[in-house]
Amino acid sequence: MSALKWQGWLVGLVTLAGLLVFAPLGLYVWASGGPSDGAGAPRPALEGVRVTGCRIDPASRRVVAGVEAAGRPEGPGAYVVTVEFRDTARAEPGGRSAESLVRIPGVAVTATEHAEALGPVWPVATVPWCGAAAATFTPVEPRP
């Protein structure tokens, strides 16, 4: 046989060996990956929460943040949200910052519930920024 035929056979055998080694590994990785949209894994609680408003109460001069929590596919439950109040949207060293906790109980799977977080007394000359800093979700066990 000529040298070109041996090279052709060699390339074919190496390709076949590579398929025999890497194809099962690729199938294993693909099959164990689960759904590509992440529906199988629980999403972080902070993704279901957002601050809908940030205002200063005229009577008390305290900052009030509107908070909205969306239901989760795991079932009904309660959120505890940490709301942060700052001078600016970007955290700055030495800037004014405060936090408040708000509990939003009884959030059903398809519902959206609202609450307000009460912040500190705010100076007259500054505009506050409000944002969700952290959140936890606790599922509620159904009663028999």
Side-chain angles (χ1 to χ4, degrees):
M1 289 187 136
S2 70
L4 288 177
K5 275 192 173 179
W6 281 108
Q7 287 177 350
W9 277 100
L10 184 61
V11 168
L13 288 174
V14 169
T15 303
L16 181 62
L19 285 174
L20 289 173
V21 172
F22 292 110
L25 179 64
L27 285 172
Y28 173 75
V29 170
W30 175 74
S32 66
S36 62
D37 63 351
R43 65 178 202 256
L46 195 56
E47 289 182 8
V49 174
R50 70 184 186 111
V51 173
T52 58
C54 188
R55 64 180 176 82
I56 297 175
D57 179 58
S60 66
R61 295 290 310 154
R62 293 178 73 113
V63 182
V64 179
V67 181
E68 179 181 271
R72 297 174 60 91
E74 299 95 71
Y79 281 93
V80 175
V81 182
T82 304
V83 179
E84 188 173 20
F85 306 94
R86 296 193 303 238
D87 287 337
T88 61
R90 182 184 301 180
E92 296 177 0
R96 182 179 172 93
S97 177
E99 291 182 346
S100 176
L101 292 177
V102 63
R103 186 168 192 272
I104 306 174
V107 182
V109 175
T110 58
T112 301
E113 299 293 334
H114 302 273
E116 287 188 337
L118 189 60
V121 174
W122 207 256
V124 178
T126 60
V127 176
W129 174 88
C130 306
T136 58
F137 179 80
T138 306
V140 175
E141 296 294 324
R143 294 184 181 181

